[in-house]
Amino acid sequence: MQKLIIFGQRLFMALLYRFRRSRLVVTQAALSGRGSFVDIRYWLSRPDKIGPPCKIYLIHEETGAHLEVMKLARIGPLQTNHAYMAKTGSALFRNRNGLVKPGSKVSLVLGNLRTDHIEVS
């Protein structure tokens, strides 16, 4: 009887996970490198819904300017690869001309997920 209950719980959790709505939650947004970079830490509820070539960028809410992920020649983009089901991630964006300041509001777009009104500290 106990094995049947455990099986039922596992089946319920698997179905719950499968049909759960995708969410993107930003846990930290901060300036780094004396204001040259915007460091974003986030959590995904369904990383399997994000494809490997997903587009990620920040939108400065006051101006509407798009900030792209930093790319280094030998390393590539400075963001977490979600191909291995990583639920937490980070991305580093170049803050061109000091556009984003402490207290600014930005929006994070990751594939088809979007989180608005993120305050940068």
Side-chain angles (χ1 to χ4, degrees):
M1 185 67 177
Q2 186 179 7
K3 288 183 180 182
L4 185 62
I5 292 172
I6 292 172
F7 176 75
Q9 288 175 340
R10 288 183 180 170
L11 180 64
F12 175 75
M13 293 306 288
L15 289 173
L16 180 69
Y17 176 78
R18 198 66 178 140
F19 295 110
R20 186 169 42 179
R21 188 173 59 118
S22 298
R23 283 189 13 200
L24 173 66
V25 178
V26 174
T27 57
Q28 180 185 6
L31 292 175
S32 60
R34 294 184 182 175
S36 299
F37 309 108
V38 180
D39 183 19
I40 301 287
R41 308 292 168 120
Y42 58 89
W43 176 82
L44 285 170
S45 64
R46 292 292 306 270
D48 58 330
K49 295 289 184 181
I50 303 296
C54 72
K55 186 84 169 161
I56 181 169
Y57 55 91
L58 274 182
I59 301 173
H60 188 250
E61 291 187 357
E62 293 176 17
T63 61
H66 288 231
L67 302 173
E68 299 292 328
V69 172
M70 281 194 52
K71 293 180 181 144
L72 299 177
R74 293 185 181 186
I75 298 173
L78 297 177
Q79 74 181 51
T80 302
N81 182 7
H82 293 286
Y84 300 107
M85 297 293 288
K87 288 191 173 198
T88 58
S90 64
L92 194 64
F93 300 90
R94 178 86 173 152
N95 188 11
R96 298 198 186 275
N97 302 326
L99 181 67
V100 179
K101 305 208 180 318
S104 296
K105 300 278 186 175
V106 294
S107 298
L108 177 66
V109 178
L110 177 65
N112 58 356
L113 302 176
R114 180 180 175 135
T115 301
D116 296 321
H117 312 302
I118 304 163
E119 185 172 345
V120 178
S121 59

